[in-house]
Amino acid sequence: MVCQFANALKAQGINKGDRVIIYMPMIAEAVVAMQACARIGAIHSVVFGGFSAEALKDRIEDTAARLVITADGGHRGGKVIELKKTADVALSKGCSSVEKVIVFQRTGHDIAMQSGRDIWWHDAEQGQSQQCAAEPVNATDPLFLLYTSGSTGKPKGIQHSSGGYLLNAITTMRWVFDIQSSDVFWCTADVGWITGHTYVAYGPLATGATMIVYEGVPTVPDAGRFWDVCARHGVTIFYTAPTAIRALMKAGDEIPARYDLSKLRLLGTVGEPINPEAWMWYHTVIGESRCPIVDTWWQTETGAHMIAPVPAATVTKPGSCTQALPGIDAAVVNEQGDEITNAHQGGYLVIRKPWPSMLQTIWGDDERYKSTYWPMFDGRFYLAGDSARRDEDNYFWIMGRIDDVLNVSGHRLGTMEIESALVAHPAVAEAAVVGKPHEVKGESVFAYVVLKGERPEGGIDEAMTNELRSWVAEQIGPIAKPDEIRYSDNLPKTRSGKIMRRLLRTIAKGEEITQDTSTLENEAILLQLQGKA
């Protein structure tokens, strides 16, 4: 399948080094498209199927992609997601570099096809050979670009190499997942995220694993969906996000009890720190107290696991990602770059030596790469952007982000991106976005909005809130919709005009304000922000 589709891409004029955007549902053909690009030396950039036309347009234009691969639609939560229609909207806004659009027929519903530009997947493959010699590439040639949210608004095109990235994908499959030829491996991540790249599209197949690709959500048709798939297909290794675990935990123990999960031998978590309560439920109820849990810390930028237990070799602790893997020099340091040796004292999480799957640069913006990831310690250490501490056993505990990037259901969203979307609405004058702890999602989006007209009575306007939530969904995607919006006459700013975001986070959490507010331009605004005026 990969070879035949690779030949189809070549027939459309795609060559080594060309960029291809993949905007697909979570189906096997998405992986085929990624590997077909890799086979001919083209650089793929997968855009999550839940992203909006605006987000898709931004990524197409930044990569100057020549071709877009999409589908008529996808299935999610019992609904059809209109992927081709969204792609058409994106392409209507510019995207002059795109010459062709290949469309896979997934849902079979009627869509518009533009003559001369759009071609059905099956027509593109017609008559193509199933043999395609791999294009030789250098180890440092780009394999893919994957966009991640940035705290400055514009998404960053993370560039990964061909050789080093694949090496780390393979080693971590072996070390962290103990992959064997007899395993049935299931990573529930979408290929639109780095987890779906390394532990769906590349790592499992590079190690010869049998794996599952699942299109859908964990709670449809019911909260037994994951456990039903595990039982029916004999899944032995299961890798998912703490968000999904918490949601399924809330549904009750009796649901997984209906399914035979005896084939499971290893469980994993990814995307955010897992709280000890969810870890214990995962271990006792799903793993029946016999499966090791690998709590993995890594990032889009690192390409593969960096800090994680090695099963049967590392003693695990609920809530800790344990220790750095072989060859990874991770440390917690202070602002001077000195390693913090006191147990439980927080600091900056850094990586002090290069590793095979590290990001090469930000596509087209080397200066931003340097200023984002090497801004401190004279550029000697990679700055992860997370704060962390180590305990008396030198185990790592991730404490959260040090910048203004939210982690919502394991998805990283820039506060600036959401703020920019809100302010783009004609009724909004100003906006500030912070994260609020959420039982299921890890963090939820909490927005403070200043309207151009009068502030709504009591700071509540349900109609405007619904409108703004829909607006953000159109601008960025449904995952970025604010869970709560609070209206005020102004934002809490210092006299120099800087918004006091720490104060906004305190208010969002409903905590008592202990910060010094004397530098505020207008202290009276605090009552409005707290919903008391």
Side-chain angles (χ1 to χ4, degrees):
M1 289 172 73
V2 168
C3 286
Q4 188 172 22
F5 192 64
N7 286 324
L9 291 176
K10 289 201 285 189
Q12 298 302 321
I14 299 302
N15 302 305
K16 179 179 178 180
D18 286 339
R19 276 80 64 204
V20 175
I21 292 284
I22 299 173
Y23 186 59
M24 295 276 283
M26 190 56 191
I27 55 177
E29 285 76 11
V31 179
V32 168
M34 294 167 76
Q35 297 222 351
C37 289
R39 194 159 190 84
I40 64 173
I43 303 165
H44 65 69
S45 184
V46 183
V47 179
F48 175 53
F51 275 164
S52 67
E54 194 67 30
L56 177 59
K57 176 190 81 78
D58 289 345
R59 287 151 175 79
I60 292 171
E61 291 187 335
D62 197 62
T63 58
R66 292 184 60 201
L67 185 138
V68 173
I69 304 169
T70 188
D72 50 1
H75 299 287
R76 189 166 180 86
K79 300 173 185 172
V80 170
I81 307 299
E82 295 270 8
L83 294 171
K84 174 60 163 64
K85 188 181 286 186
T86 303
D88 285 341
V89 172
L91 293 168
S92 71
K93 298 183 177 200
C95 305
S96 57
S97 62
V98 174
E99 299 162 16
K100 295 286 183 180
V101 178
I102 294 179
V103 186
F104 183 76
Q105 192 169 36
R106 175 61 175 167
T107 56
H109 70 288
D110 288 338
I111 58 167
M113 294 287 281
Q114 184 174 309
S115 178
R117 185 196 72 181
D118 300 349
I119 180 169
W120 287 108
W121 179 299
H122 52 268
D123 289 337
E125 282 191 328
Q126 191 71 37
Q128 296 296 337
S129 168
Q130 293 186 349
Q131 302 294 319
C132 179
E135 180 72 28
V137 298
N138 290 320
T140 53
D141 282 349
L143 173 62
F144 65 85
L145 308 173
L146 185 57
Y147 283 77
T148 183
S149 294
S151 56
T152 55
K154 185 188 175 189
K156 308 186 292 286
I158 303 302
Q159 179 179 321
H160 274 293
S161 70
S162 295
Y165 169 79
L166 285 168
L167 172 64
N168 253 175
I170 291 167
T171 55
T172 52
M173 282 296 299
R174 291 175 175 163
W175 294 344
V176 180
F177 292 126
D178 182 40
I179 197 73
Q180 306 292 328
S181 59
S182 56
D183 280 316
V184 176
F185 179 85
W186 184 17
C187 167
T188 67
D190 191 285
V191 289
W193 309 102
I194 188 63
T195 308
H197 279 57
T198 310
Y199 301 109
V200 176
Y202 288 108
L205 296 175
T207 52
T210 300
M211 69 168 188
I212 286 183
V213 171
Y214 171 66
E215 180 189 17
V217 295
T219 52
V220 175
D222 56 55
R225 185 62 159 167
F226 275 6
W227 320 131
D228 174 49
V229 173
C230 286
R232 278 193 289 127
H233 297 288
V235 172
T236 59
I237 302 172
F238 181 70
Y239 190 40
T240 196
T243 301
I245 296 166
R246 287 191 290 265
L248 298 172
M249 182 172 75
K250 286 183 78 172
D253 296 4
E254 66 279 1
I255 294 178
R258 296 175 198 154
Y259 302 96
D260 178 7
L261 302 177
S262 61
K263 293 272 180 69
L264 286 171
R265 70 177 188 87
L266 183 64
L267 302 172
T269 72
V270 60
E272 59 191 306
I274 181 169
N275 54 305
E277 184 187 9
W279 193 102
M280 288 305 300
W281 182 84
Y282 199 31
H283 178 63
T284 57
V285 176
I286 305 305
E288 297 167 356
S289 299
R290 56 182 168 74
C291 299
I293 293 179
V294 289
D295 176 357
T296 59
W297 179 85
W298 59 299
Q299 302 173 312
T300 304
E301 295 86 350
T302 72
H305 300 150
M306 303 292 279
I307 308 174
V310 175
T314 308
V315 176
T316 53
K317 297 182 183 182
S320 170
C321 50
T322 71
Q323 296 180 314
L325 291 168
I328 305 301
D329 184 6
V332 178
V333 301
N334 61 21
E335 289 190 353
Q336 288 71 48
D338 301 321
E339 186 164 6
I340 294 171
T341 54
N342 296 341
H344 303 292
Q345 183 180 333
Y348 297 94
L349 180 60
V350 298
I351 311 297
R352 298 185 292 194
K353 290 179 182 174
W355 64 99
S357 63
M358 66 186 292
L359 76 165
Q360 294 180 300
T361 188
I362 291 172
W363 177 255
D365 200 343
D366 291 343
E367 286 306 312
R368 190 179 180 194
Y369 165 72
K370 287 191 281 189
S371 64
T372 302
Y373 300 109
W374 313 88
M376 302 173 71
F377 324 117
D378 301 321
R380 291 175 295 137
F381 306 153
Y382 168 83
L383 184 68
D386 281 333
S387 57
R389 59 183 173 85
R390 299 184 83 170
D391 64 18
E392 50 282 343
D393 297 319
N394 270 336
Y395 277 35
F396 286 90
W397 297 78
I398 308 300
M399 298 164 63
R401 301 293 300 164
I402 58 171
D403 58 14
D404 285 317
V405 175
L406 307 183
N407 197 324
V408 180
S409 298
H411 303 153
R412 286 177 64 188
L413 299 168
T415 56
M416 291 291 290
E417 251 186 322
I418 305 171
E419 288 168 7
S420 298
L422 286 166
V423 173
H425 189 281
V428 175
E430 268 191 303
V433 169
V434 297
K436 177 182 177 180
H438 190 278
E439 188 181 351
V440 173
K441 295 195 265 189
E443 270 188 300
S444 64
V445 179
F446 193 110
Y448 297 88
V449 168
V450 179
L451 298 175
K452 288 179 180 173
E454 286 187 7
R455 172 176 169 262
E457 193 173 330
I460 298 169
D461 186 337
E462 290 186 5
M464 177 56 72
T465 295
N466 290 334
E467 186 176 329
L468 291 176
R469 293 182 82 240
S470 299
W471 174 267
V472 171
E474 288 169 15
Q475 298 290 311
I476 303 173
I479 193 74
K481 286 196 295 190
D483 293 75
E484 298 175 67
I485 297 178
R486 193 165 290 174
Y487 301 90
S488 63
D489 292 330
N490 213 327
L491 296 174
K493 296 176 184 173
T494 62
R495 290 175 180 83
S496 63
K498 185 179 178 183
I499 297 171
M500 291 187 69
R501 293 178 183 278
R502 193 177 297 173
L503 188 61
L504 292 177
R505 282 191 281 268
T506 298
I507 293 170
K509 293 175 188 175
E511 296 173 349
E512 189 178 335
I513 297 172
T514 56
Q515 296 102 311
D516 178 17
T517 59
S518 61
T519 58
L520 280 179
E521 191 177 26
N522 177 11
E523 283 192 70
I525 206 73
L526 294 178
L527 290 175
Q528 283 188 10
L529 294 166
Q530 291 170 305
K532 296 177 180 177

